[in-house]
Amino acid sequence: MSQQRKSIIPDDFLWGGAVTSFQTEGAWNEGGKGLSIVDARPIPKGHSDWKVAVDFYHRYKEDIALFKELGFTAYRTSIAWTRIFPDGEGEPNEAGLAFYDAVFDELRANGIEPVITLYHFDLPLALAKKYNGFASRKVVDLFERYARTVFARYRGKVNYWLTFNEQNLVLEQPHLWGAIGPEDEDPEAFAYRVCHNVFIAHAKAVKALREIAPEAKIGGMVTYLTTYPATCRPEDALANVQAKELFIDFFFDVFARGAYPRYVTNRLEKKGICLPLEAGDEELLRSQTVDFLSFSYYQSQIVRHQEQDEWIIKGLEPNPHLPKTKWGWAIDPIGLRMALKDVYARYQMPIFITENGIGLEEELNEDGTVEDDERIDYLRRHIEQMKMAMEEGVEVIGYLMWGATDLLSSQGEMRKRYGVIFVNRDDENLRDLKRYKKKSFYWFQRVIRTNGEEL
């Protein structure tokens, strides 16, 4: 009798979806919630604000029932800091804490592991106005207090934590951490100041979890943009290496190895930029490395050599050999495999894919269905490449598609839909917010039920 081939995906693999609080919850002024920097963003014409989003705050039981039907074993969302500390400081808000108690209890009752991000670009607005966000070490300390509060409250309910969403965006977009550079400060020096403070906040959170809930696991996360040299010219190949060092490797090096790499410190010394090191910072980073590495993956680009040295990554171009989404993002499943292989070769640490998906324009058919074959093809091809990487020895502990339900995009677009569950609203009309299962719902359900064997 022939022996059945064992699946490369382990039985405890985490399958599920990922969202943020501000893109799904709504209830922007309920339960004692304060305002965040997201609430204060200007809304582009034709887009939506986040006041209602997809109303997860009131419909979480309905949505979690759908996630159970899907077969999810994990669901990633973020805690809204402003639900716990409405102004970022002061006393914790019991109504906010109780809301997440209810959500995590409901997930666990349905066999779904909560994967929780502490910060997803939604700093309490009061901290941006009062302290200039993470440009201030005061906000680092307040973040640590917030982290300790939720770690203690949800010990035993949350076993997987992420500190900051896509932390590698901090150099190019410090405003996502509530920090605006003063006119009299060099922009690069300011960006590294904020970046360092965020690293310290990350490490303080890791330390806090070790003390409060040592059985739980915590990771650092980046957005992984796979890049290729624009040509086989050595200059383009070198530019590609340097872009990856600054955008990807720098952050994983600190998460996994606990120190700034020499290619960063040498660069700063050459430019006369001094990191805002305080006593104990280096030891804190060194001692508080993570349990796993995590990334979002959506696309790849090519890199062309630029004569002018830039601290913000330049020379990125679309790859002419790849198809693109309506929003111009290259579709590159092999790029995911390359990302997994590279990260594992450098660090030999477990990897958690915490975002991967495609945004599509979709409308509900008269019979309440959505034929989203393009999404099925996208997810299938990426999961296939993930499995190939695992067959080559990469340790992947989970795969979370971006969305689960449709949600507002980070720019407030409802027409850019990511979910396998259709939410009946558009950018300007809330309609009835009813949920409908797309064709991809049943496809992903089968993938999870067969642990990735049937794609």
Side-chain angles (χ1 to χ4, degrees):
M1 180 184 293
S2 61
Q3 188 173 5
Q4 187 175 3
R5 179 179 176 270
K6 181 175 173 58
S7 172
I8 192 66
I9 299 178
D11 292 340
D12 60 354
F13 192 79
L14 295 169
W15 292 101
V19 301
T20 76
S21 55
F22 77 83
Q23 290 169 273
T24 56
E25 285 179 5
W28 68 285
N29 62 351
E30 295 184 46
K33 182 183 179 297
L35 294 177
S36 77
I37 57 176
V38 172
D39 296 310
R41 278 187 200 167
I43 307 300
K45 185 177 180 181
H47 291 202
S48 173
D49 59 33
W50 289 270
K51 291 182 177 179
V52 175
V54 295
D55 199 29
F56 179 79
Y57 187 86
H58 298 108
R59 300 167 185 252
Y60 69 89
K61 288 188 177 183
E62 173 189 352
D63 286 346
I64 290 170
L66 285 167
F67 303 156
K68 180 182 181 181
E69 184 180 347
L70 256 169
F72 277 8
T73 55
Y75 183 68
R76 176 187 169 215
T77 188
S78 58
I79 292 174
W81 188 344
T82 50
R83 288 203 189 279
I84 312 305
F85 292 95
D87 293 323
E89 48 191 339
E91 293 305 309
N93 171 37
E94 177 57 30
L97 289 164
F99 168 70
Y100 291 111
D101 267 321
V103 170
F104 302 156
D105 287 345
E106 190 72 14
L107 286 167
R108 300 202 71 82
N110 285 278
I112 301 169
E113 192 78 46
V115 179
I116 303 303
T117 310
L118 289 171
Y119 182 85
H120 202 122
F121 308 150
D122 56 349
L123 185 81
L125 183 60
L127 300 187
K129 290 182 173 180
K130 190 173 180 181
Y131 302 112
N132 199 18
F134 278 90
S136 167
R137 289 291 285 242
K138 174 67 174 178
V139 171
V140 172
D141 293 338
L142 291 171
F143 177 80
E144 180 188 9
R145 182 181 180 223
Y146 154 61
R148 286 182 175 275
T149 300
V150 297
F151 290 159
R153 178 71 172 231
Y154 306 124
R155 180 178 181 180
K157 295 185 180 184
V158 178
N159 296 315
Y160 291 89
W161 294 90
L162 297 170
T163 50
F164 292 92
N165 180 68
E166 298 180 338
Q167 191 172 326
N168 56 331
L169 294 181
V170 67
L171 281 178
E172 296 196 42
Q173 301 183 63
H175 67 275
L176 295 175
W177 279 261
I180 305 299
E183 292 184 3
D184 60 351
E185 186 171 356
D186 172 61
E188 183 173 1
F190 176 76
Y192 274 99
R193 173 156 65 96
V194 178
C195 180
H196 179 74
N197 285 350
V198 172
F199 272 132
I200 295 303
H202 160 86
K204 284 178 177 285
V206 174
K207 183 174 186 291
L209 188 69
R210 301 274 188 260
E211 294 171 357
I212 295 167
E215 71 283 359
K217 297 185 183 301
I218 192 164
M221 183 199 176
V222 306
T223 182
Y224 201 109
L225 180 72
T226 299
T227 57
Y228 311 108
T231 72
C232 54
R233 292 172 61 235
E235 292 86 353
D236 288 341
L238 179 61
N240 182 56
V241 169
Q242 291 172 329
K244 179 175 171 293
E245 282 181 339
L246 192 59
F247 191 59
I248 307 290
D249 300 343
F250 171 25
F251 293 85
F252 278 159
D253 280 355
V254 178
F255 295 154
R257 296 172 177 164
Y260 280 75
R262 287 299 297 169
Y263 54 81
V264 170
T265 56
N266 285 354
R267 180 185 186 89
L268 297 181
E269 288 169 11
K270 181 179 177 182
K271 295 195 167 192
I273 295 174
C274 295
L275 291 170
L277 288 167
E278 294 188 6
D281 280 3
E282 290 175 299
E283 172 56 29
L284 179 68
L285 292 175
R286 187 163 46 248
S287 63
Q288 303 304 326
T289 54
V290 295
D291 298 303
F292 61 90
L293 297 172
S294 170
F295 60 75
S296 61
Y297 177 81
Y298 293 97
Q299 62 166 323
S300 65
Q301 290 187 307
I302 61 175
V303 179
R304 194 177 303 276
H305 169 70
Q306 304 287 298
E307 290 298 331
Q308 184 177 359
D309 179 44
E310 295 281 357
W311 63 276
I312 295 178
I313 299 170
K314 299 292 184 182
L316 293 176
E317 301 175 9
N319 189 330
H321 302 290
L322 294 173
K324 297 174 181 61
T325 71
K326 179 165 183 171
W327 282 267
W329 292 19
I331 300 173
D332 182 10
I334 292 174
L336 173 60
R337 182 176 169 192
M338 293 183 64
L340 290 167
K341 286 172 64 65
D342 176 75
V343 173
Y344 196 72
R346 285 178 66 92
Y347 306 105
Q348 291 84 51
M349 293 185 70
I351 302 170
F352 199 163
I353 303 168
T354 49
E355 290 182 32
N356 175 236
I358 184 171
L360 301 172
E361 278 195 299
E362 298 165 326
E363 283 297 335
L364 199 62
N365 296 328
E366 289 184 4
D367 62 355
T369 62
V370 177
E371 299 289 322
D372 58 339
D373 292 307
E374 190 174 351
R375 173 170 297 105
I376 292 171
D377 182 64
Y378 179 97
L379 296 175
R380 174 193 292 120
R381 292 168 61 202
H382 282 79
I383 293 170
E384 285 173 345
Q385 292 295 327
M386 176 191 75
K387 289 176 64 177
M388 290 179 189
M390 295 173 77
E391 287 171 353
E392 293 166 332
V394 178
E395 182 184 0
V396 184
I397 62 174
Y399 173 89
L400 307 182
M401 62 155 295
W402 178 248
T405 61
D406 289 336
L407 72 171
L408 286 173
S409 79
S410 58
Q411 303 304 312
E413 288 181 285
M414 197 65 203
R415 72 188 184 101
K416 188 179 185 182
R417 295 178 179 270
Y418 279 93
V420 296
I421 299 166
F422 186 93
V423 177
N424 189 32
R425 66 156 291 182
D426 62 21
D427 288 302
E428 298 176 315
N429 185 344
L430 291 176
R431 300 178 184 168
D432 60 8
L433 292 165
K434 190 174 177 181
R435 276 58 167 156
Y436 296 87
K437 302 167 194 174
K438 301 180 187 179
K439 185 176 181 179
S440 58
F441 178 100
Y442 301 101
W443 173 83
F444 199 37
Q445 182 186 57
R446 185 174 69 252
V447 171
I448 298 171
R449 186 177 64 246
T450 63
N451 202 27
E453 286 299 293
E454 292 187 22
L455 297 176

